[in-house]
Amino acid sequence: MNNIAIVCSGGDVSGMNPALKHFVEYALDNGLNPYFIYDGYEGLIDASIIKVDYSYVSGIITRGGTIIGSSRSGRFMHKKYRKIAKNNLDLLNITMLVVLGGDGSFRGLDVFYKEHGIKFCAIPSTIDNDIYATDYCLGVDSALNIIKTSIDAIRDTASSFKHAFVIETMGRDCGYLALVSHLTSGSELCLIPEREYDLKDYEEKFKKQMLEGRRYFIAIVSEGIKQNTNEIAQWFEKKIGIQTRVSVLGHVQRGGNPSIYDRLMAYRFVTHAVDALIQGKEESVVCYVKSGFCLKSIEEVVGKKSLDEDLLRFLK
Ligand code: F6P
């Protein structure tokens, strides 16, 4: 029987636990022995690897984060630690790996594959949705739902108190979370790294709205924009003349109960990844494009992703 392992690398997302659950079940159904690698590539180096069965994944589908932990491993960038990792896998006769992570994690594993021939299949998993060549990354929907709940709650206090709120979302240099949240929460302003902006362009309009009786503003800004979020808040206070509060949503966006969509996507991504390994496919990343799954090579997925033009055109 072949041995197959799964590892989470980089920022965790809500949806990893449903993926782990299906991985164990699907591997066993296909006559494979499933293994967990704990704490990302760090666990690969430290031999934190165990053989698992159904009992390890019972009851985890509702939980955010990942029960096997994750890390951003500095050591895995060095050849000598990758050699140790390879020896650890050999000792357990593990010949196939599934990795949940971002493109940086995939690149690390690709180097490992080229050096040591351990086949892997990657599942794009990041709330940033910034991986080139896939329309969807696991965890994005759960993060958007957390942001939606937060904005809805902030709106209640903003309207009661006649305040402006500047809400900062994560995403590194990708504005996807901010843009989708803006379009789906009806906020007044959205600033993302992909779009140049000049706050002066909004001054007249917002002041006029205040004179006409507007009680509050909601602004959604992505963490990657050129100004810091407090500067946007100062602009509201000084130029628009409204008391303003800042709310940095932070890591709350990465946690919480996985949404139905992410549970289903976890199931589908894992099925495609394990199938690809069983069939010995060369391409090693499962991508979701135009509502269907396909496999792509590492070279095809490393690149700067641009935001969907169809969404961007809604940003006035
Ligand atoms: O890549 C996921 C992400 O949550 C980004 O949106 C954010 O910039 C970063 O990770 C935060 O990293 P850390 O958890 O190391 O603070």
Side-chain angles (χ1 to χ4, degrees), residues 10-13 72 125-130 169-174 177 223 250-251 253-254:
D12 54 288
V13 304
R72 303 189 206 276
S125 310
T126 164
I127 65 164
D128 302 342
N129 210 24
D130 61 349
T169 59
M170 277 188 168
R172 289 188 197 276
D173 53 1
C174 177
L177 291 176
E223 65 177 353
H251 289 79
Q253 294 160 94
R254 289 226 299 252

Side-chain angles (χ1 to χ4, degrees), residues 264-276:
L264 186 61
M265 288 303 273
Y267 196 97
R268 298 174 81 194
F269 268 124
V270 166
T271 304
H272 283 276
V274 174
D275 285 348

Side-chain angles (χ1 to χ4, degrees), residues 5 20 49 118 186 190 199 259 269 313:
L20 295 176
I49 308 170
I118 304 272
C190 175
L199 288 175
S259 69
F269 268 124
R313 76 191 165 88

Side-chain angles (χ1 to χ4, degrees), residues 240-276:
I240 311 300
I242 181 166
Q243 267 201 39
T244 306
R245 298 287 183 268
V246 165
S247 187
V248 178
L249 299 183
H251 289 79
V252 73
Q253 294 160 94
R254 289 226 299 252
N257 179 271
S259 69
I260 288 292
Y261 190 71
D262 274 325
R263 293 182 197 196
L264 186 61
M265 288 303 273
Y267 196 97
R268 298 174 81 194
F269 268 124
V270 166
T271 304
H272 283 276
V274 174
D275 285 348

Side-chain angles (χ1 to χ4, degrees), residues 113-133:
Y113 167 63
K114 284 176 179 140
E115 280 169 1
H116 300 292
I118 304 272
K119 288 240 26 147
F120 75 96
C121 196
I123 296 177
S125 310
T126 164
I127 65 164
D128 302 342
N129 210 24
D130 61 349
I131 300 181
Y132 188 71

Side-chain angles (χ1 to χ4, degrees), residues 136-270:
Y136 190 75
C137 298
L138 190 64
V140 173
D141 187 61
S142 301
L144 285 170
N145 276 297
I146 294 268
I147 298 171
K148 178 205 71 174
T149 305
S150 309
I151 297 172
D152 289 354
I154 287 171
R155 182 185 299 280
D156 293 342
T157 178
S159 60
S160 308
F161 253 93
K162 288 191 173 182
H163 276 159
F165 265 84
V166 184
I167 302 172
E168 183 188 296
T169 59
M170 277 188 168
R172 289 188 197 276
D173 53 1
C174 177
Y176 184 84
L177 291 176
L179 175 57
V180 173
S181 300
H182 163 69
L183 298 177
T184 54
S185 69
S187 65
E188 282 66 49
L189 178 67
C190 175
L191 303 175
I192 55 174
E194 290 83 350
R195 268 284 166 88
E196 284 291 317
Y197 67 87
D198 186 343
L199 288 175
K200 280 202 194 87
D201 298 342
Y202 300 92
E203 259 174 53
E204 209 179 305
K205 179 170 130 194
F206 284 4
K207 279 204 264 194
K208 183 164 173 281
Q209 289 180 359
M210 288 279 286
L211 288 173
E212 286 166 359
R214 173 175 277 287
R215 291 180 62 83
Y216 67 95
F217 289 92
I218 302 281
I220 302 176
V221 305
S222 176
E223 65 177 353
I225 60 167
K226 62 185 179 190
Q227 283 175 291
N228 93 27
T229 304
N230 287 319
E231 289 174 324
I232 312 294
Q234 279 159 19
W235 173 80
F236 267 107
E237 296 227 326
K238 287 196 187 121
K239 299 290 181 183
I240 311 300
I242 181 166
Q243 267 201 39
T244 306
R245 298 287 183 268
V246 165
S247 187
V248 178
L249 299 183
H251 289 79
V252 73
Q253 294 160 94
R254 289 226 299 252
N257 179 271
S259 69
I260 288 292
Y261 190 71
D262 274 325
R263 293 182 197 196
L264 186 61
M265 288 303 273
Y267 196 97
R268 298 174 81 194
F269 268 124
V270 166

